[in-house]
Amino acid sequence: IGLVFAPSRRKVSPEEARVIVEAVKDPDSVRREKTIPPSMVGVFVNTRASEVNRVADFCGLDWVQLSGDEPWEYCHEIAKPVIKVVKVGQGRSPEDICADLAIGARILSSRGFLAILDSDIKGKHGGTGKIFDWTLAQPAAKKFPVMIAGGLTAENVAEAIKMVAPWGVDVSSGVEIEGVKDVAQI
């Protein structure tokens, strides 16, 4: 479950996020429902590492997703496991994407590594609803644990999974009606 701390209509405060995390991970509920709670991911964009670490610790996050322009080296400063967004747009080849992910895999080799391939829309950091050319992601998905994002909906996510075979998908605006998640679409 992604909790957005970046400027967005989905933004939550650390206090709101902590309440959500505590509710999702409530031990009594987990025991009663016999379920494994989902991982809680904090989404940040170009935030100081010290602030990311403070919020992640305060909220009890499992992962930190970096959706901005943070370089791979920045990931060393983050205490929690990292999911790094890599932009895919015009002018990027599958070889460029794989080379970028190879840098991340090397830098994060001792900590685990996940990447999200997302549409590169100038001035935007996710939530654009724009699809990128999924064929660009195919070679990366064969070599690295990647998720794909960008314009995924209930109507096209199966096709994206079949075409790319990613580790996972990141869906948000594509399953909303007027800015609210729609259970039927999810």
Side-chain angles (χ1 to χ4, degrees):
I1 295 175
L3 301 167
V4 179
F5 297 98
S8 164
R9 60 185 163 92
R10 298 177 186 90
K11 184 176 182 175
V12 295
S13 70
E15 293 74 21
E16 291 168 321
R18 184 175 179 159
V19 169
I20 294 167
V21 171
E22 288 173 352
V24 168
K25 292 187 173 190
D26 174 49
D28 293 331
S29 175
V30 169
R31 228 182 345 272
R32 187 173 49 254
E33 301 296 326
K34 297 180 181 168
T35 60
I36 298 171
S39 294
M40 303 303 289
V41 179
V43 180
F44 298 86
V45 172
N46 300 330
T47 305
R48 283 186 345 267
S50 60
E51 179 65 3
V52 170
N53 289 330
R54 185 192 71 74
V55 170
D57 186 52
F58 174 78
C59 297
L61 299 175
D62 299 304
W63 290 81
V64 166
Q65 178 177 317
L66 302 173
S67 294
D69 305 309
E70 305 90 352
W72 285 109
E73 293 77 15
Y74 169 94
C75 298
H76 275 301
E77 299 178 48
I78 304 302
K80 298 285 183 179
V82 171
I83 302 169
K84 177 74 178 95
V85 173
V86 173
K87 300 296 184 173
V88 179
Q90 290 186 319
R92 293 229 45 200
S93 69
E95 295 78 20
D96 293 337
I97 295 165
C98 285
D100 194 353
L101 293 173
I103 293 168
R106 184 174 32 81
I107 288 173
L108 295 175
S109 64
S110 64
R111 301 182 51 195
F113 159 76
L114 276 176
I116 296 177
L117 302 180
D118 195 3
S119 302
D120 188 7
I121 307 297
K122 187 174 174 87
K124 300 285 185 180
H125 297 286
T128 66
K130 304 291 184 197
I131 297 172
F132 66 88
D133 178 358
W134 295 330
T135 62
L136 296 173
Q138 290 170 324
K142 289 178 182 170
K143 295 180 180 181
F144 303 99
V146 298
M147 294 185 275
I148 57 171
L152 298 175
T153 66
E155 290 78 29
N156 69 12
V157 71
E159 178 186 352
I161 292 168
K162 184 177 178 182
M163 180 182 287
V164 179
W167 181 89
V169 294
D170 183 336
V171 182
S172 191
S173 60
V175 294
E176 292 179 348
I177 295 176
E178 297 179 18
V180 177
K181 298 292 184 265
D182 178 64
V183 175
Q185 291 186 50
I186 294 169

